Amino acid sequence: MKRKIRTLLRYAAALLVAASILGPMLWLFLMSVSSGSDLTRIPLEWLPRQWDFSRYAQLVSLDADQPGALFLHALWNSLLVATGATAISLLLAIPAAFSFSRYPGRDGWLFGSLAIYMVPPVAFVLPLYFVLQQLSLLNTHLGLVLVYCSLILPFLTWMLKNQFDALPLDIEQAARLDGLRVWQVLLRITLPLAKPVLGASALFGWLLAWDEFFYALLFTSNIQAQTLPVTIAGFTAGRATDDGLIAAVGILASVPPLFIAIWLQKTLVSGLASGGSKG
């Protein structure tokens, strides 16, 4: 009897979590296919009287008079910046995390980087702006990539360091006895064993860059480098705001992270599971 109750509670909790996640997305989709009159009708109707998918056609159109030109350009900017920042951060975080894990006594540097990561972003606005201005990197993809690396790198280093701590040292020690150098042990032994958490860490780092709004707003001035969150905010700046269009943008903006999560599903699940156990 107790086992059945526990099972029911688990299913109820799972349904509650699923509803809290999928409910807003469902409502966002319904808004995106509702007419303006349906969205402002009182009392509110949950389903539109007439389904309208024209906003999605506008957002994938490259015509100059359509919002799709802005949306697709911002989508490309976000993909480029998020992927570039994640790739650079991952390449730097792997040797850093390995060093922190295998050579004790350097935790002060790790905690220092995490402490900087916890400082409110607004504290770094002036120095970052000055540096980017001096390097002529304002309103550029490279400028945003470098700024986002400062956000992602401490996070990835911390995640990977914890995973490297959980890996058995016997295999690495045996490889060292066979004559492998440290970097060879890292590439041939440690990274293959840590492959699941690499995917999970990369996904979380990518999402940090994908969703970032504050720095992208301050360090970009036009569509040349503006990312998707800034462009979405721009759609709400006019006097006449199309809430359905903004909802459609939100739906389309969630597609790339969704596809990446599905692609890395097995890696993500195994990475989270292995990160929660040690030994």
Side-chain angles (χ1 to χ4, degrees):
M1 185 64 181
K2 290 183 178 180
R3 180 177 297 178
K4 291 183 179 180
I5 294 176
R6 292 195 194 98
T7 303
L8 289 175
L9 290 176
R10 290 194 190 100
Y11 279 111
L15 288 174
L16 182 61
V17 172
S20 65
I21 295 174
L22 298 178
M25 293 300 299
L26 177 60
W27 177 241
L28 203 64
F29 172 74
L30 292 176
M31 287 181 61
S32 70
V33 296
S34 299
S35 63
S37 59
D38 287 335
L39 292 174
T40 56
R41 183 173 287 111
I42 299 176
L44 177 68
E45 295 184 1
W46 292 101
L47 295 177
R49 295 185 178 181
Q50 184 176 0
W51 296 74
D52 181 13
F53 292 89
S54 62
R55 297 185 182 94
Y56 290 98
Q58 296 176 26
L59 290 174
V60 296
S61 173
L62 292 175
D63 294 340
D65 59 341
Q66 296 293 338
L70 289 175
F71 170 75
L72 293 176
H73 202 114
L75 179 65
W76 168 250
N77 290 340
S78 289
L79 288 171
L80 184 63
V81 170
T83 304
T86 303
I88 294 174
S89 298
L90 195 61
L91 288 176
L92 296 176
I94 288 173
F98 184 78
S99 176
F100 286 130
S101 175
R102 296 298 182 262
Y103 301 96
R106 304 181 182 183
D107 289 344
W109 291 97
L110 178 61
F111 292 135
S113 64
L114 289 176
I116 295 175
Y117 177 76
M118 296 176 185
V119 175
V122 68
F124 299 110
V125 168
L126 288 180
L128 285 175
Y129 190 93
F130 177 77
V131 171
L132 293 178
Q133 185 181 46
Q134 294 298 314
L135 297 176
S136 300
L137 292 178
L138 287 175
N139 199 41
T140 64
H141 296 123
L142 180 58
L144 279 184
V145 167
L146 295 178
V147 171
Y148 287 175
C149 284
S150 67
L151 299 175
I152 302 173
L153 183 56
F155 176 75
L156 292 185
T157 302
W158 173 71
M159 283 194 68
L160 293 176
K161 191 263 183 186
N162 289 336
Q163 177 60 23
F164 290 160
D165 287 343
L167 295 178
L169 297 178
D170 298 343
I171 303 177
E172 294 183 9
Q173 293 172 352
R176 291 299 303 275
L177 292 175
D178 288 339
L180 293 183
R181 298 181 181 274
V182 175
W183 64 270
Q184 292 175 319
V185 171
L186 174 61
L187 293 178
R188 298 182 183 181
I189 306 298
T190 307
L191 288 185
L193 291 175
K195 184 179 178 180
V197 82
L198 289 177
S201 301
L203 177 60
F204 285 124
W206 190 87
L207 289 175
L208 280 176
W210 179 262
D211 294 330
E212 205 283 325
F213 172 78
F214 184 68
Y215 286 144
L217 176 65
L218 295 178
F219 299 146
T220 60
S221 56
N222 55 47
I223 196 58
Q224 175 183 340
Q226 278 181 349
T227 56
L228 205 51
V230 179
T231 302
I232 294 175
F235 284 142
T236 67
R239 292 186 177 181
T241 301
D242 186 350
D243 294 329
L245 181 65
I246 298 173
V249 172
I251 291 293
L252 293 180
S254 65
V255 172
L258 179 62
F259 274 114
I260 293 177
I262 294 174
W263 179 46
L264 296 175
Q265 181 180 9
K266 292 183 179 179
T267 301
L268 179 62
V269 173
S270 57
L272 293 175
S274 61
S277 60
K278 186 170 183 177

